[in-house]
């Protein structure tokens, strides 16, 4: 696949309102799957434009649609409440070509808004490129901020803000740990709307279409122990999600990880006839050895749907790090795969490419 980003920028910039340039946008101006950045692109330089496309949900009688309007580049995404009826109708009727398939709908959850780091920018871009969702829903009390968020909005037109507060009580139990609040919110999101939930430090590397015919899909983390909730997908109202959610009746804020990862594994074993599909392609390498295999060596990620970076556990690899698409590491490989369309692209010439190829075979 050859980069067409430069062409897209020229086309978009030719569509001007006086002196105001319009931003090139995913997915409206050109196909996500074959549009990549040029090698001279830098993540610290956002597209120079004054207007961008923004998704708006439209529900009038029996008519349901996702409309796009040109707005100033710094305009935030359209916002809807979690219980908004039009949001429910659009995600149900416009995000899947078949009611028996998991909808092409992506969810991110973020509370206590903070500046978006580069790895989260890359995470969102990877889902847009390889999932090609109808909408990217940010469930948040306060949206991210900063350079990478501004750049993302100028490029991705179908981001929508689901305005909600962090859950503080579930079945009478207090929820004060922000990670537990996010665990509950992500389950509520996929249980209600269907689609794919992704952590903001998870990179999608390949399309997920081969998994959409299942009812619920989760990835193994530790074999015979738990399933990961850093990425999972399913249909709205799936029976397994109801079982999982009602399992929070025994929730305790002082217990780490049980209801979010161990409980779904136990439920799958307890109710084997409830539709559920486990895969090994979401969470490899394991969090226990990703530091050695992914950040220090070149890990073979062919055939994997994605990689969880576990930034919380490996902060030293991300401290002050920005353009890690320039690195000669697995992190550099997947970054180039997402940004440039080729793991060896834009790596500084033939010598560096040959060196990289030799390292990959070891």
């Amino acid at each position: 696949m050859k980069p067409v980003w430069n062409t897209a920028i020229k086309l978009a910039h030719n569509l001007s309102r006086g002196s105001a340039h319009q931003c090139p946008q995913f997915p409206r101006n050109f196909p996500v799957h074959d549009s990549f950045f040029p090698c001279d692109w830098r993540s610290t330089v956002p597209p120079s434009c004054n207007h961008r496309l923004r998704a708006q949900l439209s529900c009038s009688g029996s008519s349901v649609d996702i409309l796009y309007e040109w707005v100033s580049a710094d305009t935030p995404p359209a916002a809807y409440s979690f219980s908004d009826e039009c949001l429910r109708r659009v995600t149900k009727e416009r995000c899947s070509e078949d009611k028996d398939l998991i909808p092409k709908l992506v969810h991110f959850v973020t509370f206590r808004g903070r500046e978006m780091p580069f790895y989260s920018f890359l995470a969102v871009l990877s889902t847009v490129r390889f999932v090609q969702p109808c909408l990217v829903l940010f469930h948040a009390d306060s949206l991210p901020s900063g350079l990478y968020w501004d750049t993302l909005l100028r490029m991705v037109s179908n981001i929508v803000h689901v305005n909600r507060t962090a859950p503080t009580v579930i079945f009478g139990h207090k929820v004060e740990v922000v990670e537990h609040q996010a665990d509950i919110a992500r389950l509520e999101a996929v249980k209600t709307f269907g689609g794919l939930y992704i952590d903001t430090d998870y990179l999608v590397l390949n399309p997920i279409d081969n998994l959409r015919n299942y009812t619920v899909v989760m990835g193994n983390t530790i074999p015979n122990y738990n399933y990961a909730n850093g990425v999972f997908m399913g249909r709205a109202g799936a029976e397994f999600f109801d079982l999982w959610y009602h399992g929070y009746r025994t929730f305790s804020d002082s217990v780490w990880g049980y209801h979010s990862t161990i409980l779904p594994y136990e439920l799958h074993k307890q109710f084997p006839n409830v539709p559920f599909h486990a895969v090994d392609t979401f969470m490899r390498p394991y969090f226990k050895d990703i530091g050695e295999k992914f950040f220090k060596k070149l890990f073979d990620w062919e055939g994997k749907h994605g990689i969880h970076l576990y930034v919380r556990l490996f902060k030293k690899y991300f401290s002050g790090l920005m353009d890690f698409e320039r690195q000669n590491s697995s992190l550099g490989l997947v970054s180039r795969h997402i940004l440039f369309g080729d793991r060896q692209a834009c790596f500084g010439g033939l010598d560096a490419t040959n060196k990289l190829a030799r390292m990959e075979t070891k």
Side-chain angles (χ1 to χ4, degrees):
M1 297 180 183
K2 63 180 181 179
V4 297
W5 182 258
N6 280 331
T7 302
I9 288 179
K10 292 176 183 177
L11 289 173
H13 282 189
N14 286 335
L15 300 171
S16 62
R17 295 179 177 177
S19 61
H21 293 309
Q22 296 174 336
C23 303
Q25 294 274 294
F26 295 147
R28 302 294 292 177
N29 289 84
F30 48 92
V32 174
H33 60 278
D34 62 358
S35 307
F36 296 96
F37 292 96
C39 290
D40 60 358
W41 177 83
R42 289 295 182 271
S43 58
T44 53
V45 182
S48 177
C49 49
N50 300 102
H51 291 84
R52 71 177 187 88
L53 282 171
R54 183 178 77 158
Q56 290 272 20
L57 309 186
S58 174
C59 298
S60 178
S62 60
S63 176
V64 176
D65 208 350
I66 303 171
L67 305 178
Y68 289 85
E69 62 176 353
W70 285 104
V71 296
S72 62
D74 58 354
T75 303
Y80 303 87
S81 70
F82 186 86
S83 60
D84 186 273
E85 182 60 27
C86 188
L87 175 62
R88 291 174 185 255
R89 290 183 63 189
V90 168
T91 55
K92 180 180 180 180
E93 299 178 33
R94 286 290 178 266
C95 291
S96 181
E97 67 278 18
D98 188 324
K99 65 180 179 63
D100 292 326
L101 294 177
I102 295 174
K104 280 195 170 185
L105 180 66
V106 170
H107 305 271
F108 291 95
V109 172
T110 175
F111 295 124
R112 305 175 187 178
R114 62 189 181 94
E115 184 174 349
M116 174 172 275
F118 179 65
Y119 60 79
S120 294
F121 166 82
L122 202 60
V124 179
L125 192 62
S126 74
T127 66
V128 173
R129 189 180 300 292
F130 296 115
V131 179
Q132 300 180 41
C134 69
L135 291 172
V136 179
L137 301 184
F138 267 79
H139 301 256
D141 51 2
S142 179
L143 288 172
S145 60
L147 171 66
Y148 297 121
W149 176 250
D150 292 342
T151 300
L152 199 63
L153 290 185
R154 284 164 167 77
M155 294 164 47
V156 182
S157 57
N158 58 348
I159 292 176
V160 166
H161 179 196
V162 180
N163 193 354
R164 64 160 299 170
T165 58
T168 56
V169 176
I170 187 167
F171 295 113
H173 303 290
K174 288 185 178 181
V175 187
E176 297 178 338
V177 177
V178 67
E179 289 85 356
H180 292 165
Q181 294 172 339
D183 287 338
I184 294 168
R186 71 188 66 176
L187 177 54
E188 290 177 341
V190 182
K191 175 178 178 290
T192 301
F193 301 105
L196 173 69
Y197 168 80
I198 296 178
D199 270 353
T200 55
D201 62 348
Y202 187 91
L203 306 181
V204 179
L205 302 178
N206 287 295
I208 61 164
D209 287 344
N210 64 316
L211 300 176
R212 293 181 60 217
N213 60 317
Y214 295 103
T215 303
V216 173
V217 182
M218 296 189 75
N220 292 301
T221 304
I222 301 175
N224 303 315
Y225 181 70
N226 69 349
Y227 292 130
N229 75 336
V231 54
F232 64 96
M233 56 193 291
R235 302 179 197 171
E239 183 180 1
F240 185 85
F241 290 146
D242 287 335
L243 290 171
W244 186 4
Y245 189 76
H246 282 88
Y248 272 83
R249 292 181 183 277
T250 62
F251 175 76
S252 171
D253 217 17
S254 63
V255 178
W256 181 265
Y258 173 75
H259 288 82
S260 58
T261 67
I262 299 173
L263 177 60
Y265 175 81
E266 293 178 347
L267 290 172
H268 179 212
K269 298 305 176 184
Q270 185 179 353
F271 300 98
N273 294 325
V274 173
F276 182 93
H277 183 65
V279 296
D280 290 325
T281 54
F282 277 175
M283 308 300 292
R284 296 293 185 275
Y286 296 125
F287 72 92
K288 289 185 177 181
D289 54 15
I290 189 173
E292 180 68 24
K293 289 186 176 181
F294 193 71
F295 297 113
K296 296 181 180 180
K297 299 179 181 179
L298 292 177
F299 177 74
D300 181 12
W301 45 268
E302 287 295 332
K304 307 293 189 295
H305 284 100
I307 294 285
H308 198 173
L309 298 179
Y310 294 103
V311 171
R312 182 175 59 84
L313 301 178
F314 298 99
K315 291 181 180 179
K316 66 179 181 180
Y317 294 107
F318 298 92
S319 178
L321 206 57
M322 297 178 75
D323 291 345
F324 44 72
E325 72 272 14
R326 312 293 166 183
Q327 289 188 21
N328 189 12
S329 65
S330 292
L331 185 57
L333 289 175
V334 299
S335 299
R336 290 189 288 276
H337 172 65
I338 294 166
L339 295 170
F340 306 129
D342 189 321
R343 65 175 68 188
Q344 294 185 357
C346 311
F347 194 63
L350 182 61
D351 291 342
T353 302
N354 286 341
K355 179 181 179 182
L356 182 62
R358 290 196 299 272
M359 291 180 68
E360 285 187 287
T361 62
K362 293 181 179 179

